[in-house]
Amino acid sequence: MSSVPVAVVTGSNKGIGLAIVRALCKQFPGDVYLTCRDPGRGQAAVEQLQQEGLRPLFHQLDIDDLQSIRALRDFLKEKYGGLNVLVNNAGIAFKVHDTTPFAVQAEVTLKTNFFGTRNVCTELLPLMKPYGRVVNVSSMVSSSALGRCSQELQQKFRSDSITEEELVQLMTKFVEDTKKSIHEKEGWPNTAYGVSKIGVTVLSRIQARLLNEQRKGDHILLNACCPGWVRTDMAGPKATKSPEEGAETPVYLALLPSSADAPHGQFVSDKTVRPW
Ligand code: NAP
């Protein structure tokens, strides 16, 4: 078994994820895994970084596929005996003018951004080694969408005692409410992406709390973050940040020194803790 530290970035064949892998290859003292659902796209991205003189490794990972997540888990367990850095970056967003029915957009978006990310956490968080760092890439849109939820929902999403099961129930209810076209009446904002990222931010707060309760002595730090508005296939060419600039906050959180005991359980953008 290798004692080399290991970092994994989900959805890292392009965009912010690729820029995070690039930065980690330069700064992280260990093996860095570029992961991607499509091996062809993954290999092309690895070759691109190799041409820059970097040495990322590759593993297939589709966060919508539990078997794929478990294959990565078993590989990490066997080869490294765990994991030092996990960046949950993979995500999707329908374009503003996409005509797919809202209920379908809600189901598809929540499936990857919330349920897929949660499944990765369920399988990989138990592997985190002491002083491990977990970064869940959320979005500022989670904050603005929270502000457009009913007071009752806001209270639940800001609660310091909400459980993962309760959060899953709420995310499932959103999808069901969109199918019945009652989501606005039920206090939800009209954004599937926004609700999915509320899920990611609240999940991070819950997971950080559980780490405090169950693994306090292991000094693991887990945070949600927003990369900013970044020029990628998702956000388009008018966005203000380059992918490298978008990677800065996730990489900062992934490389928090072992002496750090904060931030933890926070929502961070531009390397600054934001109110939730
Ligand atoms: P992007 O260029 O569209 O890249 C998204 C990445 O996620 C791609 O590698 C994609 O792989 C991957 N992905 C999607 N579904 C996946 C799945 N089921 N399993 C594994 N990988 C999957 O978008 P981006 O802008 O870099 O976004 C990265 C993260 O930042 C996302 O979580 C996004 O919500 C967040 N974010 C972005 C912005 C922004 O302005 N760009 C702002 C706030 C937050 P494929 O190539 O196979 O599709």
Side-chain angles (χ1 to χ4, degrees):
M1 192 183 290
S2 172
S3 59
V4 171
V6 57
V8 167
V9 184
T10 71
S12 47
N13 54 299
K14 65 178 186 178
I16 298 163
L18 179 63
I20 294 171
V21 168
R22 179 182 283 117
L24 289 180
C25 282
K26 293 175 185 169
Q27 298 175 56
F28 177 72
D31 289 349
V32 180
Y33 279 84
L34 184 155
T35 70
C36 158
R37 52 184 162 181
D38 180 82
R41 286 199 287 275
Q43 280 307 335
V46 165
E47 279 162 29
Q48 186 187 333
L49 293 182
Q50 281 171 345
Q51 280 165 14
E52 298 171 22
L54 303 172
R55 293 278 168 269
L57 298 162
F58 176 74
H59 203 284
Q60 195 273 346
L61 177 66
D62 180 347
I63 71 165
D64 290 344
D65 177 358
L66 203 48
Q67 271 193 346
S68 166
I69 299 172
R70 288 183 173 155
L72 175 63
R73 175 201 65 188
D74 293 346
F75 167 79
L76 291 168
K77 226 191 234 177
E78 197 177 324
K79 176 144 192 215
Y80 297 94
L83 179 60
N84 301 84
V85 169
L86 171 63
V87 183
N88 280 304
N89 164 81
I92 59 160
F94 283 83
K95 301 286 178 213
V96 181
H97 298 297
D98 194 299
T99 53
T100 305
F102 188 65
V104 177
Q105 294 199 19
E107 183 155 38
V108 171
T109 307
L110 272 278
K111 181 180 155 90
T112 299
N113 294 5
F114 177 71
F115 291 102
T117 300
R118 174 177 181 251
N119 285 341
V120 173
C121 289
T122 304
E123 300 300 332
L124 297 191
L125 289 192
L127 263 61
M128 293 309 298
K129 293 189 177 181
Y131 298 95
R133 304 292 183 243
V134 183
V135 185
N136 294 332
V137 180
S138 184
S139 170
M140 280 305 227
V141 173
S142 70
S143 297
S144 54
L146 179 69
R148 284 185 277 131
C149 288
S150 65
Q151 284 305 319
E152 192 189 339
L153 280 174
Q154 288 192 36
Q155 207 177 7
K156 287 180 181 167
F157 289 132
R158 290 200 175 101
S159 155
D160 288 328
S161 56
I162 184 173
T163 64
E164 195 170 321
E165 290 68 34
E166 286 165 344
L167 176 62
V168 166
Q169 276 171 17
L170 283 167
M171 293 290 116
T172 306
K173 181 176 185 310
F174 169 68
V175 174
E176 294 306 315
D177 287 350
T178 63
K179 287 181 186 162
K180 293 181 250 167
S181 297
I182 58 167
H183 59 283
E184 284 179 291
K185 190 174 129 278
E186 290 295 302
W188 297 102
N190 211 19
T191 158
Y193 181 77
V195 172
S196 77
K197 292 298 190 181
I198 290 177
V200 173
T201 303
V202 176
L203 182 68
S204 308
R205 288 161 55 89
I206 295 168
Q207 288 166 340
R209 204 176 69 218
L210 290 176
L211 285 169
N212 287 346
E213 288 167 16
Q214 296 165 2
R215 297 191 60 185
K216 189 71 189 162
D218 285 343
H219 307 280
I220 296 166
L221 298 178
L222 182 154
N223 292 284
C225 70
C226 177
W229 190 31
V230 185
R231 290 186 295 277
T232 62
D233 288 349
M234 181 180 289
K238 290 190 187 142
T240 46
K241 286 189 181 183
S242 67
E244 279 58 44
E245 289 166 333
E248 280 176 19
T249 292
V251 169
Y252 151 75
L253 292 171
L255 297 179
L256 285 169
S258 56
S259 56
D261 56 9
H264 178 56
Q266 302 291 341
F267 178 62
V268 180
S269 75
D270 287 327
K271 301 185 190 173
T272 306
V273 171
R274 306 291 174 184
W276 176 247

